[in-house]
Amino acid sequence: MKVCVVGGGPAGMMAAIMAGRNGHRVTVIEKNEKLGKKLYITGKGRCNLTNDCDKDTFFDNVISNPRFLYSAYSFMDTKKLEAFFEELGLKLKVERGNRVFPASDHSSDVTGALKREMDRLGITVIYNTRVRNLVLDNTEFTGIITDKGEEISAEGLILCVGGSSYQSTGSNGESLIFSEMLGLKHVKPEPSLVPLVTKERFVKDLQGLALKNIKISVYRDKKKIFEDQGELLFTHFGVSGPLILSASCHLKEEDYKKDIRLVLDLKPALDEKKLDERILSDLSKYRNKQFGNSLKDLLPSSMIPVFVDLSGIDPQKKVNSITKCEREKLLRLFKGFELKITGNRGFDEAIITRGGISTKEIDPGSMRLKKYENIYAAGEMIDLDAYTGGFNLQIAWSTGALAGNSI
């Protein structure tokens, strides 16, 4: 059977390989000049290709429609994926947070291993080509028409066109075009795992400062919608870093019209009583100095001027003159350093896309579109997303593998 795969990203390459191993004649249509272009920049160029975790942990990290993934993950779970790559000759290593990388630290080795297997299976790849239209006979797919006017006939189609994030790699929201073409329900695509923009101008003074082992809480109006502990990075526009990327998964575009507050606990290891004792100790140590020069043991140097300003305490005031009320203000600031979130940095800086083809349109046991006899979908173009750490790529591998095996 002749199968056409549209999109040569992780889901597309995996789907092509699985279909090829089942004896199908596979043609991949890729808009870019090479396969896996987005893979080259994932994991800062090292390709965090999955997370070496158990099943429960994986599903705990899937945000949208985790139940839909049960069959796909069962078919190609983390352990099976690692074995798959090792069989292709790719050596792997596991790092902090169970993140899995190629031992070489080169994303190109992941793509190279997949391409060699595709070559071995005789899979044809057509580069620098887009699909302009699909040829349908009622509910049956019979071929594609390319942007060059060429018609390619096929008996099965797997759509793996990706999302809208990192648009320089070709992820330009084509999933919506195909949804409209096929009459599918589509969840509005939005940036996710994306840095956030704050209202406060002082963040520019903190640009480049990384805070580790802090706790953040995100509130929408007065409701807490996210809480976690880890690392945050200040930027010229607001905040980024692992904690912020995870928090962004819980914020939709409509939320930025509401009151979104980011509250930092700078000393989560200390309760208020112990923190008060720590502040008293430090103030006693610097009792003869000006207040502006008394916080170097408690805060990074770049944060001290901002912190002093927000405290409302005169920086030239002698430490031994600070009142109990002023000390309580300091304590509240350490435990509740607040920023107002006004937006995000959009698809250009988003790692993934939230939204896409509704999972209600797809049979979870095969990845086939319910309305069509021989069209399947996989990867980021579906309304599936997860936290950072290799989970989103695992979704792509799993759905791509199931689609390729089912067709």
Side-chain angles (χ1 to χ4, degrees):
M1 179 169 125
K2 189 173 181 181
V3 173
C4 184
V5 178
V6 181
M13 287 187 283
M14 181 63 84
I17 288 170
M18 289 299 164
R21 287 182 176 182
N22 284 342
H24 299 308
R25 290 170 292 131
V26 182
T27 299
V28 177
I29 309 298
E30 170 53 47
K31 72 184 78 170
N32 291 312
E33 73 285 357
K34 61 184 177 182
L35 294 169
K37 193 169 183 178
K38 191 174 176 181
L39 275 178
Y40 282 93
I41 60 174
T42 61
K44 298 181 179 178
R46 297 170 60 219
C47 191
N48 175 197
L49 54 90
T50 187
N51 193 284
D52 188 39
C53 63
D54 58 31
K55 179 180 178 180
D56 289 343
T57 301
F58 171 77
F59 282 104
D60 285 344
N61 279 274
V62 177
I63 299 166
S64 299
N65 304 305
R67 291 177 61 86
F68 175 86
L69 283 167
Y70 285 178
S71 294
Y73 185 76
S74 178
F75 181 76
M76 178 65 79
D77 64 18
T78 297
K79 296 301 180 185
K80 291 176 185 176
L81 180 71
E82 291 175 13
F84 167 84
F85 276 111
E86 287 168 353
E87 287 170 6
L88 297 185
L90 183 70
K91 293 182 178 180
L92 305 175
K93 62 179 178 178
V94 181
E95 296 188 0
R96 179 178 57 87
N98 293 320
R99 290 168 167 83
V100 180
F101 294 89
S104 65
D105 283 331
H106 294 306
S107 297
S108 57
D109 289 341
V110 178
T111 308
L114 294 166
K115 182 61 169 65
R116 285 192 297 274
E117 179 66 1
M118 291 170 70
D119 291 342
R120 186 187 73 81
L121 294 167
I123 294 169
T124 301
V125 182
I126 302 175
Y127 296 99
N128 298 307
T129 301
R130 295 176 182 272
V131 174
R132 190 177 71 194
N133 212 341
L134 300 178
V135 183
L136 302 171
D137 182 5
N138 293 319
T139 61
E140 184 180 1
F141 163 81
T142 61
I144 65 166
I145 299 174
T146 72
D147 57 352
K148 298 177 176 62
E150 180 184 4
E151 183 170 341
I152 301 174
S153 61
E155 299 156 273
L157 172 67
I158 307 176
L159 295 172
C160 306
V161 301
S164 302
S165 59
Y166 288 140
Q167 297 191 351
S168 61
T169 65
S171 298
N172 58 358
E174 283 186 316
S175 63
L176 180 58
I177 295 173
F178 283 99
S179 288
E180 292 175 346
M181 200 181 294
L182 294 167
L184 305 176
K185 293 179 182 177
H186 199 90
V187 179
K188 180 185 175 183
E190 294 184 356
S192 193
L193 292 180
V194 61
L196 299 176
V197 179
T198 65
K199 179 181 179 181
E200 291 75 13
R201 294 182 179 180
F202 63 69
V203 293
K204 291 183 179 180
D205 300 325
L206 302 175
Q207 181 178 352
L209 173 63
L211 298 178
K212 298 181 179 181
N213 299 318
I214 67 163
K215 179 180 176 181
I216 73 166
S217 300
V218 179
Y219 294 85
R220 180 174 54 223
D221 292 331
K222 295 183 179 181
K223 181 181 179 181
K224 185 188 293 185
I225 59 172
F226 179 78
E227 183 177 88
D228 201 1
Q229 190 165 324
E231 183 176 336
L232 174 147
L233 175 69
F234 284 101
T235 67
H236 67 283
F237 55 78
V239 283
S240 188
L243 278 179
I244 297 303
L245 296 182
S246 294
S248 73
C249 296
H250 298 270
L251 292 170
K252 296 184 178 181
E253 292 297 308
E254 62 193 42
D255 290 334
Y256 299 114
K257 300 173 184 177
K258 303 174 183 177
D259 179 27
I260 304 297
R261 293 180 298 118
L262 171 65
V263 181
L264 315 185
D265 182 346
L266 302 175
K267 303 292 180 183
L270 301 175
D271 60 24
E272 290 193 3
K273 181 180 178 182
K274 290 182 178 178
L275 179 57
D276 190 37
E277 291 172 356
R278 172 69 190 278
I279 293 172
L280 269 172
S281 174
D282 277 52
L283 292 181
S284 177
K285 180 180 177 181
Y286 297 106
R287 59 185 175 275
N288 293 319
K289 291 185 175 293
Q290 293 179 338
F291 172 61
N293 298 321
S294 68
L295 299 174
K296 62 182 181 180
D297 295 341
L298 285 165
L299 290 167
S301 57
S302 60
M303 199 170 191
I304 292 174
V306 171
F307 208 83
V308 169
D309 184 57
L310 292 175
S311 74
I313 303 172
D314 184 351
Q316 296 182 334
K317 186 173 185 176
K318 285 293 183 69
V319 170
N320 57 22
S321 300
I322 289 178
T323 65
K324 181 181 179 181
C325 181
E326 288 172 327
R327 197 176 76 243
E328 288 175 349
K329 286 183 181 179
L330 274 181
L331 190 149
R332 287 195 296 272
L333 199 51
F334 273 108
K335 302 297 283 185
F337 188 93
E338 191 170 305
L339 299 165
K340 180 170 176 56
I341 303 299
T342 59
N344 64 46
R345 294 290 283 179
F347 283 120
D348 284 344
E349 295 184 34
I351 295 176
I352 61 162
T353 304
R354 174 177 53 235
I357 296 175
S358 170
T359 54
K360 294 178 181 179
E361 299 281 7
I362 303 170
D363 171 26
S366 65
M367 304 307 297
R368 182 181 63 83
L369 299 183
K370 294 177 180 178
K371 294 179 180 178
Y372 296 90
E373 298 174 28
N374 56 349
I375 302 179
Y376 298 72
E380 195 178 350
M381 71 181 299
I382 304 172
D383 183 24
L384 300 165
D385 62 277
Y387 291 125
T388 186
F391 303 104
N392 288 287
L393 265 179
Q394 180 65 52
I395 291 173
W397 304 125
S398 294
T399 56
L402 181 57
N405 186 68
S406 300
I407 198 166

